[in-house]
Amino acid sequence: MALKIINQDVYKLDKFDGSNFTRLKDKMCFMLTVLNVIFVLDSKLEPIREPSDKDMDKIVAHRRKHEEDELVCRGHILGTLSDRLYDMYTHIQSPKEIWETLEHKYTTEKRGTNKFLMFKYYEFTMFDNKPILDQVHELLVLVSKFRELKIVIPDPMIVEAIMAKLPQAWNNYRKKLLHMVEDISLEDF
């Protein structure tokens, strides 16, 4: 049996500890696609039919390949899990079942945390004692999380939010920007 194992130096996934399932999902799907085993996770995958005398060898070979692909897929999914999560899911033999369980748990959990994302955005405050660029970066990370939810905030609104959240020491700069005739782009800001 010749198993497909991806070169770990070329593409190594970080250990998944339960945070940022979206990132794991994207990377895992890419890796399993490269290995040509992503089909194992397809919910529409039909079971292999029982062989007849006519096509016995073909069906047996197909079944053997499918079992090898499931083993590779299961190994790579389990291999990316932290030790704690590995211990929780190692008893499940089906890679599809492991994946669906992870997807259900961490997608549901993510929906709960997304409720507070908008609140964090509105309540975000900048302070004089922290570098402004670091604080702008924090705000832009929040905005990028909105994009994951398919909520797009236009750049002019992001610039205006940054201006509104500038600390008191930046009032003169804020007034100068507000009185400009043309809109300033996010990159220029």
Side-chain angles (χ1 to χ4, degrees), residues 31-185:
M31 183 173 67
L32 296 176
T33 300
V34 168
L35 292 169
N36 291 320
V37 296
I38 190 87
F39 73 92
V40 171
L41 302 179
D42 188 353
S43 59
K44 297 173 191 152
L45 184 65
E46 294 186 22
I48 300 170
R49 63 181 175 82
E50 289 300 316
S52 64
D53 292 337
K54 184 178 172 184
D55 58 2
M56 178 75 100
D57 293 339
K58 187 177 177 183
I59 298 293
V60 168
H62 181 67
R63 180 171 282 136
R64 186 176 306 124
K65 181 188 178 321
H66 183 81
E67 288 170 356
E68 288 176 11
D69 290 344
E70 278 192 337
L71 180 64
V72 168
C73 187
R74 180 178 182 272
H76 281 287
I77 292 171
L78 289 174
T80 62
L81 301 180
S82 68
D83 291 343
R84 179 183 61 84
L85 292 176
Y86 179 90
D87 293 341
M88 286 175 59
Y89 294 102
T90 192
H91 70 281
I92 303 173
Q93 294 304 307
S94 165
K96 186 167 130 182
E97 189 178 339
I98 295 170
W99 192 249
E100 287 173 351
T101 305
L102 287 168
E103 209 166 22
H104 177 74
K105 178 176 174 40
Y106 293 103
T107 303
T108 302
E109 201 170 276
K110 184 178 182 224
R111 278 189 218 118
T113 58
N114 288 341
K115 290 180 184 179
F116 301 101
L117 189 58
M118 191 64 79
F119 178 78
K120 284 176 69 173
Y121 177 75
Y122 284 128
E123 293 294 313
F124 188 86
T125 307
M126 292 187 186
F127 300 98
D128 288 323
N129 61 352
K130 256 177 102 175
I132 288 296
L133 289 179
D134 291 349
Q135 295 178 80
V136 168
H137 178 73
E138 286 177 43
L139 188 64
L140 293 177
V141 168
L142 283 173
V143 169
S144 72
K145 289 181 181 181
F146 286 136
R147 288 191 182 114
E148 289 177 20
L149 299 172
K150 308 290 189 258
I151 300 171
V152 179
I153 301 174
D155 281 358
M157 288 183 72
I158 297 170
V159 170
E160 290 171 18
I162 293 170
M163 286 192 295
K165 294 173 183 303
L166 285 171
Q168 292 293 334
W170 289 73
N171 275 348
N172 289 335
Y173 182 69
R174 179 181 323 153
K175 286 177 186 175
K176 178 183 169 193
L177 291 174
L178 288 172
H179 292 292
M180 291 177 64
V181 176
E182 73 249 5
D183 286 336
I184 187 167
S185 71

Side-chain angles (χ1 to χ4, degrees), residues 15-24 84-85 106 109:
K15 292 288 183 186
F16 177 66
D17 62 0
S19 62
N20 205 341
F21 181 74
T22 305
R23 181 180 300 138
L24 170 76
R84 179 183 61 84
L85 292 176
Y106 293 103
E109 201 170 276

